[in-house]
Short mmCIF file of all heavy atoms in Angstrom, two decimals:
data_model
loop_
_atom_site.label_atom_id
_atom_site.label_comp_id
_atom_site.label_asym_id
_atom_site.label_seq_id
_atom_site.Cartn_x
_atom_site.Cartn_y
_atom_site.Cartn_z
N LYS R 77 22.54 -47.45 77.82
CA LYS R 77 23.32 -46.71 76.86
C LYS R 77 22.54 -46.39 75.57
O LYS R 77 22.82 -45.52 74.96
CB LYS R 77 24.60 -47.47 76.57
CG LYS R 77 25.57 -47.57 77.61
CD LYS R 77 26.15 -46.20 77.85
CE LYS R 77 27.31 -46.26 78.90
NZ LYS R 77 27.78 -45.02 79.20
N ASN R 78 21.50 -47.14 75.37
CA ASN R 78 20.73 -47.06 74.17
C ASN R 78 21.52 -46.90 72.87
O ASN R 78 21.29 -46.08 71.95
CB ASN R 78 19.78 -45.81 74.37
CG ASN R 78 18.61 -45.86 73.33
OD1 ASN R 78 18.23 -46.93 72.86
ND2 ASN R 78 18.03 -44.75 72.98
N GLU R 79 22.58 -47.75 72.77
CA GLU R 79 23.48 -47.77 71.49
C GLU R 79 22.86 -48.87 70.52
O GLU R 79 22.37 -49.92 70.97
CB GLU R 79 24.85 -48.13 71.93
CG GLU R 79 25.55 -47.09 72.78
CD GLU R 79 26.19 -45.95 72.05
OE1 GLU R 79 26.35 -46.10 70.79
OE2 GLU R 79 26.35 -44.88 72.59
N ASN R 80 23.08 -48.64 69.31
CA ASN R 80 22.75 -49.62 68.30
C ASN R 80 24.06 -50.18 67.72
O ASN R 80 24.90 -49.54 67.31
CB ASN R 80 21.82 -49.08 67.15
CG ASN R 80 20.53 -48.74 67.65
OD1 ASN R 80 19.91 -49.48 68.38
ND2 ASN R 80 20.12 -47.54 67.23
N TYR R 81 24.04 -51.60 67.81
CA TYR R 81 25.27 -52.22 67.36
C TYR R 81 24.94 -53.33 66.22
O TYR R 81 23.68 -53.62 66.17
CB TYR R 81 25.94 -53.02 68.47
CG TYR R 81 26.46 -52.17 69.65
CD1 TYR R 81 25.80 -52.21 70.81
CD2 TYR R 81 27.53 -51.35 69.48
CE1 TYR R 81 26.24 -51.37 71.99
CE2 TYR R 81 27.95 -50.49 70.54
CZ TYR R 81 27.34 -50.54 71.60
OH TYR R 81 27.70 -49.68 72.81
N ALA R 82 25.82 -53.73 65.50
CA ALA R 82 25.53 -54.65 64.41
C ALA R 82 26.33 -55.95 64.76
O ALA R 82 26.94 -55.98 65.80
CB ALA R 82 25.93 -54.09 63.09
N ASN R 83 26.53 -56.84 63.76
CA ASN R 83 27.34 -58.02 63.87
C ASN R 83 26.63 -59.12 64.74
O ASN R 83 25.78 -58.79 65.58
CB ASN R 83 28.71 -57.81 64.43
CG ASN R 83 29.57 -56.90 63.55
OD1 ASN R 83 28.98 -56.26 62.67
ND2 ASN R 83 30.87 -56.91 63.63
N SER R 84 26.91 -60.27 64.34
CA SER R 84 26.47 -61.43 65.14
C SER R 84 27.72 -62.45 65.38
O SER R 84 28.76 -62.43 64.64
CB SER R 84 25.43 -62.15 64.28
OG SER R 84 24.33 -61.45 64.12
N GLY R 85 27.63 -63.08 66.45
CA GLY R 85 28.75 -63.94 66.95
C GLY R 85 28.87 -64.08 68.46
O GLY R 85 27.91 -64.09 69.02
N TYR R 86 30.19 -64.29 68.78
CA TYR R 86 30.40 -64.54 70.12
C TYR R 86 31.49 -63.66 70.81
O TYR R 86 32.50 -63.52 70.10
CB TYR R 86 30.75 -65.91 70.42
CG TYR R 86 29.69 -66.91 69.91
CD1 TYR R 86 29.67 -67.35 68.60
CD2 TYR R 86 28.71 -67.40 70.76
CE1 TYR R 86 28.82 -68.18 68.07
CE2 TYR R 86 27.72 -68.31 70.24
CZ TYR R 86 27.75 -68.74 68.89
OH TYR R 86 26.90 -69.57 68.39
N ILE R 87 31.24 -63.10 71.92
CA ILE R 87 32.37 -62.34 72.61
C ILE R 87 32.60 -63.10 73.94
O ILE R 87 31.73 -63.17 74.77
CB ILE R 87 31.98 -60.87 72.83
CG1 ILE R 87 31.72 -60.20 71.64
CG2 ILE R 87 33.15 -60.15 73.67
CD1 ILE R 87 31.21 -58.82 71.74
N THR R 88 33.84 -63.58 74.02
CA THR R 88 34.15 -64.32 75.33
C THR R 88 35.26 -63.59 76.09
O THR R 88 36.15 -63.19 75.53
CB THR R 88 34.72 -65.76 74.95
OG1 THR R 88 33.74 -66.39 74.19
CG2 THR R 88 35.03 -66.58 76.19
N PHE R 89 35.01 -63.55 77.39
CA PHE R 89 35.95 -63.00 78.31
C PHE R 89 36.40 -64.10 79.13
O PHE R 89 35.70 -64.82 79.86
CB PHE R 89 35.27 -61.86 79.27
CG PHE R 89 34.82 -60.66 78.50
CD1 PHE R 89 33.46 -60.61 78.12
CD2 PHE R 89 35.58 -59.56 78.21
CE1 PHE R 89 33.06 -59.50 77.37
CE2 PHE R 89 35.20 -58.55 77.59
CZ PHE R 89 33.90 -58.41 77.10
N ARG R 90 37.79 -64.24 79.06
CA ARG R 90 38.42 -65.37 79.87
C ARG R 90 39.28 -64.61 80.94
O ARG R 90 40.03 -63.83 80.59
CB ARG R 90 39.28 -66.24 79.03
CG ARG R 90 39.35 -67.67 79.45
CD ARG R 90 39.85 -68.51 78.42
NE ARG R 90 41.37 -68.23 78.22
CZ ARG R 90 41.99 -68.76 77.26
NH1 ARG R 90 41.49 -69.68 76.53
NH2 ARG R 90 43.16 -68.46 77.18
N PHE R 91 39.28 -65.12 82.24
CA PHE R 91 39.84 -64.36 83.36
C PHE R 91 40.07 -65.39 84.43
O PHE R 91 39.57 -66.51 84.52
CB PHE R 91 39.01 -63.21 83.83
CG PHE R 91 37.51 -63.52 83.94
CD1 PHE R 91 37.12 -63.92 85.18
CD2 PHE R 91 36.63 -63.43 82.87
CE1 PHE R 91 35.76 -64.20 85.36
CE2 PHE R 91 35.37 -63.81 83.06
CZ PHE R 91 34.89 -64.14 84.31
N LEU R 92 40.79 -64.83 85.54
CA LEU R 92 41.03 -65.69 86.75
C LEU R 92 40.31 -65.13 87.92
O LEU R 92 40.14 -63.87 88.01
CB LEU R 92 42.43 -65.65 86.93
CG LEU R 92 43.51 -66.15 85.94
CD1 LEU R 92 45.00 -65.93 86.40
CD2 LEU R 92 43.21 -67.67 85.91
N ILE R 93 39.83 -66.04 88.70
CA ILE R 93 39.14 -65.65 90.01
C ILE R 93 40.07 -66.00 91.04
O ILE R 93 40.54 -67.12 91.16
CB ILE R 93 37.79 -66.36 90.24
CG1 ILE R 93 36.78 -66.10 89.09
CG2 ILE R 93 37.18 -65.97 91.60
CD1 ILE R 93 36.45 -64.59 88.94
N ASP R 94 40.56 -65.11 92.04
CA ASP R 94 41.49 -65.48 92.93
C ASP R 94 40.93 -66.26 94.08
O ASP R 94 39.76 -66.52 94.15
CB ASP R 94 42.16 -64.16 93.52
CG ASP R 94 41.45 -63.25 94.34
OD1 ASP R 94 40.38 -63.59 94.80
OD2 ASP R 94 41.81 -62.12 94.53
N CYS R 95 41.82 -66.58 95.05
CA CYS R 95 41.25 -67.45 96.13
C CYS R 95 40.37 -66.73 97.14
O CYS R 95 39.83 -67.45 98.01
CB CYS R 95 42.67 -67.87 96.85
SG CYS R 95 43.56 -66.66 97.73
N GLU R 96 40.11 -65.47 96.94
CA GLU R 96 39.15 -64.75 97.76
C GLU R 96 37.84 -64.45 97.08
O GLU R 96 36.96 -63.76 97.33
CB GLU R 96 39.73 -63.48 98.17
CG GLU R 96 40.93 -63.65 99.18
CD GLU R 96 41.50 -62.46 99.64
OE1 GLU R 96 41.54 -61.37 98.77
OE2 GLU R 96 41.96 -62.36 100.80
N GLY R 97 37.78 -65.15 95.76
CA GLY R 97 36.48 -64.99 94.93
C GLY R 97 36.52 -63.56 94.20
O GLY R 97 35.37 -63.21 93.72
N LYS R 98 37.73 -63.02 93.92
CA LYS R 98 37.70 -61.68 93.21
C LYS R 98 38.33 -61.81 91.83
O LYS R 98 39.34 -62.58 91.80
CB LYS R 98 38.42 -60.61 94.04
CG LYS R 98 37.65 -60.28 95.32
CD LYS R 98 38.43 -59.21 96.02
CE LYS R 98 37.64 -58.74 97.21
NZ LYS R 98 37.74 -59.55 98.48
N PRO R 99 37.83 -61.30 90.78
CA PRO R 99 38.45 -61.38 89.52
C PRO R 99 39.80 -60.71 89.41
O PRO R 99 39.98 -59.53 89.95
CB PRO R 99 37.50 -60.84 88.59
CG PRO R 99 36.24 -60.63 89.31
CD PRO R 99 36.60 -60.55 90.75
#
Side-chain angles (χ1 to χ4, degrees):
K77 290 289 182 181
N78 200 23
E79 296 277 340
N80 290 318
Y81 300 109
N83 293 16
S84 297
Y86 303 87
I87 300 174
T88 299
F89 295 94
R90 211 168 67 184
F91 47 93
L92 297 171
I93 302 298
D94 74 13
C95 64
E96 296 179 325
K98 296 182 174 80

